[in-house]
Amino acid sequence: MRRSADVVVIGAGAVGAAVAWFATRAGLTVQVLERGQIAGGTSSACEGNLLVSDKEAGPELDLALYSHDVWTGELDEYAGLWEFERKGGLVVAASSTGAEGLRALAVRQRAAGIEVTDVPADRIADYEPYLTDGLAAAAHYPQDCQAQPMLVTAHLLRMAREAGAGVSTGTTVTGLLRDGDRVVGVRTDRGDLTAGAVVNAAGTWAGEVAALAGVRVPVMPRRGFVLVTEPLPPTVFHKVYAGEYVASTQSSEEGLQTSTVIESTAAGTILVGSSRERVGFDRTVSLPALREIAAKALTLYPSLKDTSVMRSYLGFRPYCPDHLPVIGHDPRAPGLWHAAGHEGAGIGLSVGTGKLLAQALSGVAPDLELTPFAPERFGDQVLRETPA
Amino acid sequence: MNDPIAMTLDGRTLTARPGQSVGAALTDAGVRSWRTTRGGQPRGLFCGIGVCFDCLITVDGRPGQRACLVPARAGLVLETAPASPSPDPGHQRRDDRDD
Amino acid sequence: MTEPRPTDPARPDPGAPAALSQLDGPPAGRRHSALPAHRSGEAREVDDRWLRAERSGGVYDVAVVGAGPAGLSAAVTAAEQGLRVALVDAGAQPGGQFWRHPDEGAAWPDEGRGQHGWRRFTRLRDRLGRLIGGGRVEAFAERQVWFVEERAAVWHLHLTTTHAAVETPAPRLVRATSLVLCPGGYDRQLPVPGWDLPGVMTAGGVQALLKAHRSVAGRRAVVAGTGPFLLPVAEGLAAAGAEVLAVCEANSVTGWGRSPLGAVSVPGKGLEALEYAGALLRHRVPFRQRTALTRVHGEGSVTGATLSRLDRTGRVRPDVPPQRVEVDLVAFGWGFTPSLELVSAVGATTRVDVDESLVAWVDPNQRTDVPRVYAAGEVTGVGGAVLAAGEGELAGLTLALDHGVPVAGSRIEALQRGVRRHRRFAAAMHRAHPVPQRWAEWLTDETMLCRCEEVTVGAVAEVRDVLGAGDARTAKMLARPGMGRCQGRVCGFATAKLTACGRSLETTDLAPLAKRPFTAPVSLGELATTGEGED
């Protein structure tokens, strides 16, 4: 482990890995610290969605489109390493009201630069032959992609390491070194490190790291379950989801919400989601949530009724009250930077976040304005409590 | 009640003694494998007690049944499973997760 | 721990002595009379009933999962103490893996052939029959628990069939105040090159075919691995007419001498081993110590095997040429490992046993650290049927005690002494039959590690060495061993060993691979409708 670095990154998930890689490539010396193992948090408990289809015009969409360009541009040569696939998304609506909503969303998204094709009811089977009959409409989003998030994380870290970065797992940050207000390093259970910049990429746990600096970053966990079926012959070809999914990603409800998201994997399994609950870090497997996910999925794919479910997994989306990530320098604790709170879109947004933050860390004006993601937007009060 | 039970395997007759499993009947008939993995490898009985899922077979049209657990019954229609079609092997994406 | 008991007229008054007399015969008017001892050629009513519990009887005092030596003993003991018991088992008939036997309805002439402790089983079965007839036990056969949850201090077991060729019969939900987990175990496996060829089976699988189906898995066999269980498998194969070329024991059985206390504490076990040794001698089966089956040969199925002499560390001895034998059956067993999913699902604490298997932690009364959950048998540490039955009985009595039924302390203490004695023996046995330290050196990069997902040893080594997978969970996420249908039940141990790089396994190495939220596969349709009309 380095004892001093230009940049110390706290957290070895997809976002931390992307920051480490782009910062290293920008010529900075980087040390990544991870209390667990690589991709041990939400990055290994998600679906690897790189979506534009579920976003309305605004800063998150801008970041998603920017990230899309990074994935398909300078990172394209590595696509095979992390099983990058341009599989496209198909959003479906069951009712005529839902269909109207879908069409209206498409109009707004097209204006914002998203590619979207309206699919009439009688053409849905061309895209997804096993979808239930009688759907009202669908929309096809060719820019929606997929990647294997653990491989994304592991390979970005490997590339950073091979370019000179240090990656230390099993290392817990217990405090921040201060020089007056300024954050000048970290204290860990394996010794102190000095750093020009400390990047908080702790995902759902970013609030705890911010609290070490006495600042508030209100990242909260939003639990989700996914079911994994037995391997099947090809049955689901796109990322298929119900139109209500878009609404549920933007909701702040506490209680259980489910909306169908289904996709197959090359292993032959089908991933069936999704659920959202604000229950803290409760890891209890909730049968009501799993049951509702299964029941809703069967309304779209009734032929999966006899398909076996092998397992389920759960993860905690890092969620901020305004559903936007926290990216950039924190003026409340100079020297501390944040790259966290990407909710359910962290894998897709990771590379854009990493590249933009590396630009800012190098003193270059970022390609995209980071103001909407400013850490101090939640108020500048300094808190002593740890967010839930 | 101890007369042999007649089933079919891919259309051919397969007999079992009463109380035997489909897997045991296949073993007695000298059939050692009846499934092909995605990688193209043959599979038959391995653990014999329902743990390993190697011995999957299609029973009366329902795929993915454990031959070692399914009791032989007269008239069962057994089918060996073809290899699951694999997407482009050069681009294997295996992206489900676990926690 | 002790729960206030709801009033139940079927239960004896806590002030009265355990009402065993009530159970001498079933209440008048019941369809099932006291069952005659089982005679061959005669289908018994109990089996009919065992298969026919169609309705869950409200909240049981206790649900026992598993009807092997431990579960049968626990269920019978608890029911005889007056508790209402639900008994759930994957088998079509009681006995578990240890007492697997031919279909009782099909009149096999010699159902006890090849069995050990068969009288113990038939006595348990008869007691169970009486209890079922008397309405004290309801048995749910050919069901697996796919999900367990606690709601309002009641355990809910969600059931599915073991084979989906038929719809899951009702009830799909069994509720009980307490749980006794006796899920048993299965053969522990280590990969070697070629072990994924048809014709390679687990030793237990070969034994199950012999005992339950009278099927012989091959004509020319090698039985290999480690542990005393290799002997009865070889003996069973030889007695059934197969030619057994060798029993390859990776360790030296003089290792028994290292722990004299354990070896002499259960004298019957020594005699058992002598019996097998005698039988192997009669069948002219060579017993090779410090020998491993290091490679299986064949195209499409097994045609041969390489037997290698090992040194003390488990390395193949360079000075002894390996022997190539022609076989069509390989039976592998590296001891057993418990089915731990239910223990993990209820959140009970686990520990690593002497043999490096992850097992449930229990107190001296078979209580786990989760209130109203008990565990008995192999799940608390592999130790054989006698120990399992003792633990089951102890769990049954503790359960009664915790439900407010008075139980003589002396009876519990006697059982505890027996359990401790057998546990010492088991520990000595495990110490004499470790997985050879340098077993991984027998492997090549191409050796299949995960049979389901077809992940090689080399693929796991790569994510470990190149991508920085520092533990078994991360290796599993990046290379996918254990992500297939068996959910790591077969390759989990080997994956943990390979990522631990020679270090002794700890709970943190094994627990992530034993976590299976769905304790058995369930269909999406069943999941979508679970609980409907049942609670």
Side-chain angles (χ1 to χ4, degrees), chain B residues 1-3 5 16-54 56 59-60 62-73 76 84 92-99, chain C residues 43 97 100 103 105-108 142 144 161-167 185-187 189 195-202 204-206 208-209 212-218 300-302 328-329 448 450-455 473 476-477 479-480 483 485-487 489-490 515 517 521 523:
Chain B
M1 89 184 282
N2 284 332
D3 294 339
I5 292 166
R17 282 167 283 156
Q20 281 194 312
S21 67
V22 163
L26 288 161
T27 301
D28 285 355
V31 183
R32 315 211 81 183
S33 61
W34 46 88
R35 181 172 79 90
T36 307
T37 64
R38 296 163 62 81
Q41 299 304 308
R43 289 278 197 270
L45 286 183
F46 177 65
C47 82
I49 58 170
V51 172
C52 75
F53 292 82
D54 258 12
L56 299 178
V59 180
D60 285 348
R62 284 190 74 158
Q65 305 304 307
R66 287 169 278 181
C68 65
L69 295 185
V70 178
R73 271 190 292 115
L76 278 190
S84 332
Q92 287 244 323
R93 200 173 48 77
R94 311 188 132 188
D95 54 357
D96 52 302
R97 320 278 171 262
D98 195 6
D99 66 329
Chain C
Q97 302 305 337
R100 242 174 202 269
D103 183 358
W108 289 82
E142 293 185 295
Q144 284 183 309
T161 52
T162 49
H163 52 94
V166 290
E167 293 288 314
Y186 43 85
D187 299 77
Q189 291 299 319
W195 76 308
D196 51 332
L197 282 166
V200 177
M201 287 188 67
T202 68
V206 169
L209 278 176
H213 308 286
R214 303 292 187 235
S215 294
V216 191
S301 74
V302 173
D328 64 358
L329 174 67
M448 202 57 78
C450 169
R451 304 168 65 95
C452 299
E453 290 294 304
E454 303 185 275
V455 180
R473 178 186 179 268
K476 174 178 156 182
M477 300 295 216
R480 292 186 64 83
M483 294 283 263
R485 288 187 195 254
C486 93
Q487 291 290 287
R489 287 173 175 91
V490 177
K515 204 167 63 156
S523 74

Side-chain angles (χ1 to χ4, degrees), chain C residues 55-268:
Chain C
R55 205 161 46 76
S56 172
V59 178
Y60 293 89
D61 292 321
V62 54
V64 178
V65 183
L72 273 180
S73 302
V76 162
T77 305
E80 287 175 351
Q81 294 297 317
L83 304 188
R84 281 192 63 234
V85 176
L87 179 57
V88 180
D89 190 77
Q93 51 197 24
Q97 302 305 337
F98 188 77
W99 287 318
R100 242 174 202 269
H101 56 284
D103 183 358
E104 294 168 359
W108 289 82
D110 53 352
E111 63 167 10
R113 172 147 62 87
Q115 299 284 353
H116 265 266
W118 187 244
R119 286 266 299 148
R120 184 189 288 268
F121 169 64
T122 56
R123 281 197 298 268
L124 280 170
R125 182 170 67 181
D126 291 343
R127 284 161 73 192
L128 177 69
R130 282 195 289 276
L131 292 160
I132 290 175
R136 297 304 185 118
V137 175
E138 278 175 64
F140 303 93
E142 293 185 295
R143 317 288 169 86
Q144 284 183 309
V145 178
W146 62 267
F147 197 84
V148 55
E149 57 176 342
E150 190 184 17
R151 273 190 265 157
V154 173
W155 291 104
H156 289 56
L157 298 178
H158 297 263
L159 308 183
T160 184
T161 52
T162 49
H163 52 94
V166 290
E167 293 288 314
T168 299
R172 288 160 56 192
L173 180 67
V174 163
R175 289 176 294 164
T177 306
S178 299
L179 273 186
V180 186
L181 304 178
C182 310
Y186 43 85
D187 299 77
R188 194 162 70 174
Q189 291 299 319
L190 293 177
V192 299
W195 76 308
D196 51 332
L197 282 166
V200 177
M201 287 188 67
T202 68
V206 169
Q207 184 80 325
L209 278 176
L210 286 169
K211 288 207 295 198
H213 308 286
R214 303 292 187 235
S215 294
V216 191
R219 293 201 188 86
R220 280 169 64 85
V222 174
V223 180
T226 192
F229 182 62
L230 302 180
L231 301 178
V233 174
E235 198 268 336
L237 279 171
E243 186 183 354
V244 182
L245 274 71
V247 174
C248 299
E249 163 60 61
N251 290 288
S252 162
V253 285
T254 51
W256 280 101
R258 272 189 255 138
S259 186
L261 177 66
V264 299
S265 59
V266 187

